[in-house]
Amino acid sequence: MSNEKKQKKPKVKPGRLEKREARMGYLFVAPWLIGVFVFLLYPLGQSFRYMWYNIRITPVETKFIWYGTKNFSQIWLENAEFPQGLVTYVWQTLVEVPIIVVFALIIAIMLNGKIKMRAFFRLLFFLPVIIVSGPVMNMLVSEGAATIPAMNVQSIISAFGMFLPQSVAESVGKIFSNMIMILWYSGVQILIFLSALQKVDPALYEAAKIDGGSGWECFWKITLPTIKPMVMLNAIYTVIFMSGNEQNELINMIKNAMFSGTKEKGYGYASAMAWMYSVIVTLVVLLFFLLLGSKKDKYDREFKRRMRRRRRQERLQIRIQRRSERNARKFANDIRRNKYKTNDGSNPDY
Amino acid sequence: MKKRIVALILLVAMVLGVVGCGKPSSSPAPTGSDNPNPSTDPGEQITLTFWSYEDETTAKLMAEKFMAKHPNIKVETYIIQDMSTDLSAAASSGTFPDVFEGTDSDTALANMYWLDISQYFDADPENKNLMKTVTEYGIGCFDTKARYAVPMMFWPSAVFIDRNVIEKLNLKMPRTDWTWAEMISLIKAATVDDRSGMKYYGLGYYNRLDSLYGIAACANAERAIKGEFGFNGEDFDLQYWAIGEQEFSDLKLNGYVAPQQETQEMEDWSGDWNTWFGATGHVAVFSEGSWTFQDLWNQAGYQEQYGLDIVPYVTPNVVNEKEHNVIANMYMGGVSTSCKHPAEAYELLKFMGWGVDGWNARLDIYEDMSIVNDSGIALKHSHMPYPLTLDEGIWTRFKKLFPQDEDHAKYWNDYFSSIVRPVPYGWYSIAGYWNFCDQYFNNIGIHDLVDQGKAKAADYVLEATERANYYHAEAMISYFGPDGYNILTADELAKFKAVVDAAAK
């Protein structure tokens, strides 16, 4: 079997149809490829280069003045807002992402049930996705649409302040004051959960019901484990969305730095900020990945462990066999040369 | 076949999109100093782009009047939304305007947006009749020998008094050439809370009093203050600012200053979060931008509606000098370094800004109340600037746009005669000012700390003076040294480097 695997596949010259299909494939993928190169890889490389320079874009030329790590030191030593903004971002993301994901899951389960006007409600919950994109959301936020008027945020901060440090209490208060906006961010996640829920095999629920499983037990034993990969997907999607949308203070800070004409700021300074920010975002994504990454089930883990143990034993067997052969050869040589001695120094006569 | 066509359409759309986003090729244009005599033939058709903060209708009408005078020049106007964003995007895409107006000089100087227009400005006899500080203090020269900008839109600061409030409180109107101490006394006397109704406040502010005080603080013989924070053209001295800052803070802390719009204090006082103190009839003195009068108070029926009788006052002098400097908003205009027709651009700049011809055209527009902007407002009520020229004819016409009845004429005439020595806010005229504010002053939050009584202004004088000098020196090296316009002499460069090095130590 293993020898068969090692054998190379015979080369078959692709036919005309296959070639044409491949060409069509490349043609369809070409816009995306061009997009990636022009709008992702090239700007990425460019911003990586920019962060080492102070860049002045005059009306007649672009001046690159070598700065080395000065952009970074200026950001950390002279810009009080950016480090503070990073801390706030991490804290808010860690708190808001679970809220959004859990809310989206609850709504998705409700929308998946048999309710009247189901299609209308599904549409209703997806509407904010259209509204939150672009300046409409900015307008709504500035008009106070992101807050719940009846909610006394100050009281919440005071209540949390009794047992939490003031800065933490204020961050929690900020979450409450933006509660509507946080929930508005759930549209896409609801859609993803909905499609996952619809793919759960109804036979599983049926079997569970026959065995007397309640709805609560079905959720924990069937629904959640089945859609677990989607939880991670949604959490990561939410982190990425929250890290790059127009309401994000750090994004605005970077944008302002980019267009700022002051001598320290500009494209170089903004690039340095953006790279540091992207490192932090990557770490946050990694954290959610590690927390929610799908672990194999117990049987699978046990099977793999046994396989590993078996392979280890096989390797050991091979080593023992080789050593025995080596010792046997040595023993035979010693006897042949009459050099073999027992432990007490005697020379047995073979 | 169908698939192939769809794929091709997608690809072409993508490529076109990418090409469309690209920067148009443009060869570097000569700078004004390289090219003193532009080679524009008389009669040759040229197009100039003019970017400003004007009312859009006014800008278009002014451009039309300029084009009528210069038939060979086509002017395209654009209203700037945000200076840094708009101009840096234009510089990146090669669509930089020929003439533009800026509110933040650091941005323009750091990126070499402005061309040296000394040769045009110095050779123009009309410029000798501008308000004296423009040439005396080199406003627009940024303490160099070259001129990069000229104040285009000018609004002096003003102190207004509501005569009705003074009358209601049985107080006496102060003399028009009052002093700083008299103003503070009036503010205190006019703060009355008899618990029978809305409290009367002595002061409602837009401009902080420390800005006014810092400029008018001392006699020229003591220190010729050419800019905010006691700037004399070479270095800063914040001791003058500190006195004004502390005095203003004390007024706020002791309840002499009316609450600001959209605050809880305003809601508690007036019952409405959105009330503006200038529309309550319960504030005596206002430190406002001069545009507030025409844009709001002078609109038909406004003062009658709120029971106001607003008159302007001279920004009081601290040392009782008859002719003293007053702080002002002065948007700087200049010709860009990418402009291919600097001589014509200078003419456009002057016409749109301070020139007598331009002002006559402007006054024609303002006097005609039937000309309105998109919001239906007559143009004199839409951020009308003040003339920078001292031309008598212009001022005679300009004054007629303000109340000239027997009751009010004296106040206005005295006010107009007191604003002939304007000094711009720091961000218009001092290199490195914005860096100082951004990275030190506002970063620490000095205004807030002093206003809340958490710190004394005097505590910051030494450190802030040293930092201000550092940021200024650093900016001068950066803007005008070898990496910038490269016009500093070795001695000047060494002097600024010494300041930077001393601060670094």
Side-chain angles (χ1 to χ4, degrees), chain A residues 262-264, chain B residues 106 432-440 471 475 479:
Chain A
T262 55
K263 63 186 174 58
E264 294 83 6
Chain B
D106 275 313
Y433 179 91
W434 187 242
N435 294 329
F436 166 68
C437 289
D438 188 36
Q439 288 165 27
Y440 175 78
Y471 282 109
Y479 303 161

Side-chain angles (χ1 to χ4, degrees), chain A residues 189-259:
Chain A
Q189 291 86 328
I190 291 172
L191 213 64
I192 292 170
F193 276 137
L194 211 52
S195 70
L197 287 170
Q198 283 165 4
K199 284 188 179 159
V200 181
D201 188 355
L204 291 173
Y205 292 111
E206 209 180 318
K209 288 273 162 68
I210 291 166
D211 288 344
S214 66
W216 181 249
E217 282 166 333
C218 285
F219 172 75
W220 288 105
K221 304 286 182 188
I222 300 170
T223 313
L224 202 59
T226 316
I227 63 165
K228 206 178 162 197
M230 294 300 146
V231 175
M232 187 187 72
L233 178 75
N234 271 338
I236 290 176
Y237 170 82
T238 311
V239 173
I240 302 294
F241 177 77
M242 288 177 67
S243 308
N245 72 20
E246 279 192 16
Q247 266 77 49
N248 187 308
E249 281 176 24
L250 285 163
I251 290 290
N252 286 320
M253 220 181 274
I254 292 167
K255 205 170 106 186
N256 290 339
M258 188 168 104
F259 289 116

Side-chain angles (χ1 to χ4, degrees), chain A residues 65-320:
Chain A
I65 301 158
W66 174 253
Y67 249 36
T69 54
K70 207 173 159 188
N71 279 327
F72 296 94
S73 55
Q74 263 174 354
I75 290 166
W76 286 103
L77 299 176
E78 291 177 23
N79 187 342
E81 288 174 5
F82 188 72
Q84 184 60 41
L86 279 180
V87 173
T88 313
Y89 159 77
V90 172
W91 164 249
Q92 280 186 350
T93 308
L94 292 180
V95 176
E96 287 177 12
V97 168
I99 293 176
I100 292 170
V101 173
V102 170
F103 175 77
L105 181 59
I106 293 168
I107 297 294
I109 290 169
M110 286 161 78
L111 290 176
N112 197 39
K114 284 174 187 162
I115 50 167
K116 279 182 185 173
M117 297 171 72
R118 192 164 65 169
F120 171 74
F121 283 119
R122 284 180 184 177
L123 176 76
L124 203 68
F125 276 97
F126 194 70
L127 266 183
V129 176
I130 303 159
I131 297 170
V132 292
S133 52
V136 180
M137 191 64 198
N138 285 340
M139 291 280 283
L140 286 171
V141 171
S142 66
E143 292 296 320
T147 55
I148 302 169
M151 189 185 282
N152 190 343
V153 177
Q154 207 52 46
S155 313
I156 294 169
I157 295 173
S158 309
F160 278 104
M162 288 165 77
F163 56 92
L164 288 175
Q166 191 57 25
S167 56
V168 179
E170 276 174 13
S171 302
V172 175
K174 211 172 176 183
I175 289 162
F176 278 94
S177 67
N178 283 326
M179 190 52 85
I180 289 184
M181 205 166 71
I182 291 170
L183 302 184
W184 273 24
Y185 285 154
S186 315
V188 172
Q189 291 86 328
I190 291 172
L191 213 64
I192 292 170
F193 276 137
L194 211 52
S195 70
L197 287 170
Q198 283 165 4
K199 284 188 179 159
V200 181
D201 188 355
L204 291 173
Y205 292 111
E206 209 180 318
K209 288 273 162 68
I210 291 166
D211 288 344
S214 66
W216 181 249
E217 282 166 333
C218 285
F219 172 75
W220 288 105
K221 304 286 182 188
I222 300 170
T223 313
L224 202 59
T226 316
I227 63 165
K228 206 178 162 197
M230 294 300 146
V231 175
M232 187 187 72
L233 178 75
N234 271 338
I236 290 176
Y237 170 82
T238 311
V239 173
I240 302 294
F241 177 77
M242 288 177 67
S243 308
N245 72 20
E246 279 192 16
Q247 266 77 49
N248 187 308
E249 281 176 24
L250 285 163
I251 290 290
N252 286 320
M253 220 181 274
I254 292 167
K255 205 170 106 186
N256 290 339
M258 188 168 104
F259 289 116
S260 165
T262 55
K263 63 186 174 58
E264 294 83 6
K265 294 186 178 170
Y267 283 31
Y269 189 90
S271 297
M273 268 180 159
W275 273 93
M276 285 193 283
Y277 179 46
S278 55
V279 168
I280 298 293
V281 173
T282 311
L283 289 176
V284 173
V285 168
L286 211 65
L287 182 73
F288 277 102
F289 179 77
L290 291 174
L291 286 175
L292 302 169
S294 77
K295 289 167 188 142
K296 301 280 184 261
D297 65 7
K298 206 175 168 186
Y299 170 78
D300 200 30
R301 267 183 291 166
E302 185 59 30
F303 175 75
K304 284 204 167 168
R305 196 161 46 233
R306 287 192 183 186
M307 286 299 284
R308 273 201 301 273
R309 200 184 301 155
R310 194 171 142 186
R311 277 200 296 273
R312 213 167 29 238
Q313 289 207 338
E314 276 173 5
R315 280 200 298 272
L316 194 67
Q317 285 292 330
I318 291 167
R319 271 208 299 276
I320 291 168

Side-chain angles (χ1 to χ4, degrees), chain A residues 20 24 27-28 30-31 34-35 38-39 56-60 63 65 78 80 259-265 267, chain B residues 3-4 7 11 14 84-85 88 91-92 96 107 110-113 337-338 434-435 438-439 443 474-475 478 483:
Chain A
R20 205 172 69 184
M24 291 305 294
L27 208 58
F28 268 101
I34 294 170
V38 176
F39 296 119
R56 294 191 194 178
I57 304 176
T58 76
V60 288
K63 286 186 169 188
I65 301 158
E78 291 177 23
F259 289 116
S260 165
T262 55
K263 63 186 174 58
E264 294 83 6
K265 294 186 178 170
Y267 283 31
Chain B
K3 268 199 287 183
R4 185 179 292 178
L11 189 67
M14 191 73 201
S84 283
T85 310
S88 55
S92 311
F96 206 79
T107 294
N111 299 293
M112 298 173 72
Y113 289 162
T337 41
S338 61
W434 187 242
N435 294 329
D438 188 36
Q439 288 165 27
N443 208 357
E474 202 196 28
S478 175
D483 286 335

Side-chain angles (χ1 to χ4, degrees), chain B residues 253-387:
Chain B
L253 289 169
N254 290 304
Y256 295 109
V257 181
Q260 294 289 304
Q261 207 168 10
E262 296 180 353
T263 58
Q264 188 58 48
E265 290 78 22
M266 177 56 84
E267 192 168 333
D268 295 343
W269 176 48
S270 72
D272 187 353
W273 174 272
N274 287 314
T275 303
W276 171 54
F277 55 73
T280 58
H282 280 68
V283 176
V285 179
F286 304 90
S287 69
E288 271 293 333
S290 48
W291 57 79
T292 308
F293 186 80
Q294 285 291 11
D295 288 4
L296 279 172
W297 286 321
N298 202 31
Q299 292 219 27
Y302 193 95
Q303 296 202 49
E304 289 77 14
Q305 186 185 343
Y306 295 104
L308 312 168
D309 184 7
I310 304 289
V311 290
Y313 259 68
V314 176
T315 305
N317 196 4
V318 177
V319 287
N320 208 9
E321 264 187 352
K322 201 73 187 162
E323 196 177 62
H324 61 274
N325 300 341
V326 290
I327 198 151
N329 280 283
M330 297 172 108
Y331 291 5
M332 295 291 171
V335 175
S336 77
T337 41
S338 61
C339 179
K340 288 174 183 154
H341 309 284
E344 288 79 5
Y346 170 78
E347 288 302 324
L348 175 63
L349 180 75
K350 185 176 139 189
F351 188 86
M352 294 296 207
W354 69 96
V356 173
D357 284 349
W359 259 98
N360 275 316
R362 197 176 272 277
L363 288 165
D364 290 343
I365 295 168
Y366 292 142
E367 283 164 358
D368 188 345
M369 295 293 282
S370 66
I371 306 174
V372 293
N373 63 14
D374 290 344
S375 310
I377 295 168
L379 296 178
K380 81 165 189 174
H381 295 306
S382 180
H383 236 46
M384 176 179 73
Y386 284 48

